[in-house]
Amino acid sequence: YRSGRQADALRAYREAAAYLRDELGLDPSPELQELESRILRQDRGLDYRPRPSPRPLPARYTSFVGRDADVDDIASLFSDHRLVTLTGPGGIGKSSLGVEVARQLAETMAVAYVPVEHNRDADLPWLTAGSVGVLDPGDDAGQRAVGAIGEQSMVIVFDGCEHVIDAMPGLLSEILRGCPNARVLVTSREGLFISGERLLHVTPLPHGAGSASNELFLDRAGLRLEDLDQDDVRRVTQIGDRVSGMPLALELMAARLRTSSLAGLAAGLEDQMSLLVAKRRANAAHQSFAATLDLSYQSLDAELHRLFRHLGVFRSRFPAAGAGVVADVDVVDGP
């Protein structure tokens, strides 16, 4: 609707309402019905109100572990390159690394953060304009973004660009051509392959005894190496090895220690990996990450499997009350 597509917005509502009725036997929520009503009467309260200043970097709520040297190396590239793209599979740590690089660059230049994930090609200029501080992007949002950046010394972080890979080259060309002091940092599962791009493939964390993988796992699990016996130290190393140093996989495994021991975690992962390594078309990193996700899912009982499937209707975060309605379970108040 905010893109000037009222008919498409109403069509999206009707599709959602039909799905809720046909698949779940539910009517749209009062909030969703009210949204339809506001769209029909073109309520000015729905109009886009972008930030009056550049969108800041997301706050970090966990420690940054294992890539300090990478941060320094990538930040130094901007002395010779105006566009740096970090690539790699999901869960490898591109976003975390990119944000940390931008924090270092923020010591000497302004920073604008553009969270691209889950947006469409058509939304990219509008989203970018709002993120760099344009009050009213309008139909020429790309040009307004270029005008807002102007000659500022600014690094613009585009995070999660695999979703808009076709729209990125044109917009970035406008920014780099029209904003001589701007630098652009992109995270994406694939490169943009445009003129001037410096492409870097983010690799898994080193794993093995005394490695960054062990450090990350212990940090997220709230454990200290000096408190572990030799068998548990070996198990921590084994876990890092079996997930090939994939950061998100390590964090998922650390979270499972709330309901499992190190011995059980290491043994269970070994069993699951033996079932999955035969997937010849998957690279090693994807195999390891898939094994971690599969292990987490298979450890759930039948009722939790049902709940997991029902929660798939949510696109991202959801309230506990919404989960209760969708899955027909009793929940306590809370997020």
Side-chain angles (χ1 to χ4, degrees):
Y1 173 77
R2 287 171 173 166
S3 300
R5 299 163 58 192
Q6 183 181 19
D8 287 342
L10 293 170
R11 186 178 302 110
Y13 170 82
R14 289 194 295 270
E15 290 174 356
Y19 180 87
L20 289 170
R21 285 191 296 267
D22 296 344
E23 299 294 328
L24 303 174
L26 300 173
D27 289 326
S29 67
E31 293 83 1
L32 199 56
Q33 293 180 48
E34 173 63 16
L35 176 59
E36 180 199 26
S37 176
R38 295 178 69 188
I39 289 174
L40 283 168
R41 66 177 185 264
Q42 298 184 343
D43 186 343
R44 292 299 300 273
L46 293 178
D47 291 348
Y48 175 64
R49 290 183 173 87
R51 295 170 175 269
S53 59
R55 182 192 296 267
L57 294 170
R60 180 172 291 284
Y61 55 90
T62 58
S63 56
F64 183 74
V65 177
R67 296 197 191 272
D68 290 335
D70 293 335
V71 170
D72 294 337
D73 291 343
I74 296 169
S76 68
L77 289 175
F78 282 96
S79 60
D80 297 316
H81 302 275
R82 296 183 59 204
L83 170 60
V84 175
T85 300
L86 306 181
T87 66
I92 201 71
K94 302 182 297 297
S95 293
S96 180
L97 178 57
V99 167
E100 203 62 27
V101 170
R103 288 193 204 286
Q104 186 176 123
L105 295 172
E107 297 175 3
T108 57
M109 57 198 311
V111 172
Y113 178 71
V114 187
V116 179
E117 191 171 11
H118 303 311
N119 284 275
R120 303 170 301 171
D121 285 352
D123 300 327
L124 183 61
W126 169 82
L127 178 65
T128 303
S131 294
V132 300
V134 177
L135 290 175
D136 183 15
D139 295 333
D140 56 347
Q143 284 300 314
R144 288 177 179 252
V146 171
I149 299 167
E151 296 189 1
Q152 291 185 76
S153 181
M154 175 183 286
V155 58
I156 305 128
V157 182
F158 289 89
D159 192 15
C161 294
E162 60 270 10
H163 303 278
V164 292
I165 203 71
D166 293 330
M168 287 297 299
L171 178 66
L172 293 190
S173 294
E174 287 186 51
I175 291 174
L176 295 174
R177 184 171 55 248
C179 308
N181 299 315
R183 301 288 187 272
V184 177
L185 177 61
V186 172
T187 72
S188 174
R189 294 184 188 179
E190 56 182 299
L192 305 177
F193 301 103
I194 63 177
S195 178
E197 179 184 31
R198 180 68 163 87
L199 196 63
L200 290 178
H201 188 72
V202 179
T203 59
L205 291 172
H207 47 94
S211 66
S213 288
N214 288 15
E215 183 183 358
L216 178 62
F217 179 84
L218 292 171
D219 178 85
R220 299 301 190 257
L223 300 174
R224 297 191 308 168
L225 188 63
E226 55 267 30
D227 294 335
L228 303 181
D229 59 30
Q230 290 186 347
D231 286 338
D232 278 345
V233 171
R234 176 180 53 78
R235 289 171 182 133
V236 170
T237 301
Q238 180 186 9
I239 290 168
D241 289 344
R242 296 303 290 174
V243 300
S244 302
M246 288 285 287
L248 183 54
L250 288 164
E251 295 195 5
L252 289 172
M253 299 305 290
R256 292 206 61 224
L257 282 181
R258 300 169 187 167
T259 57
S260 178
S261 65
L262 272 171
L265 198 60
L269 183 60
E270 183 73 30
D271 292 340
Q272 290 295 316
M273 288 297 293
S274 66
L275 298 175
L276 292 169
V277 292
K279 294 183 177 180
R280 297 179 180 177
R281 296 184 63 186
N283 62 37
H286 278 116
Q287 286 184 51
S288 300
F289 190 46
T292 303
L293 295 177
D294 189 73
L295 173 61
S296 297
Y297 181 76
Q298 295 301 333
S299 67
L300 304 178
D301 60 28
E303 185 62 21
L304 287 176
H305 279 175
R306 173 185 171 277
L307 176 61
F308 190 84
R309 289 194 301 271
H310 278 77
L311 295 181
V313 304
F314 294 106
R315 182 175 180 177
S316 55
R317 296 181 180 180
F318 52 87
V325 171
V326 168
D328 192 24
V329 296
D330 293 328
V331 297
V332 298
D333 292 336

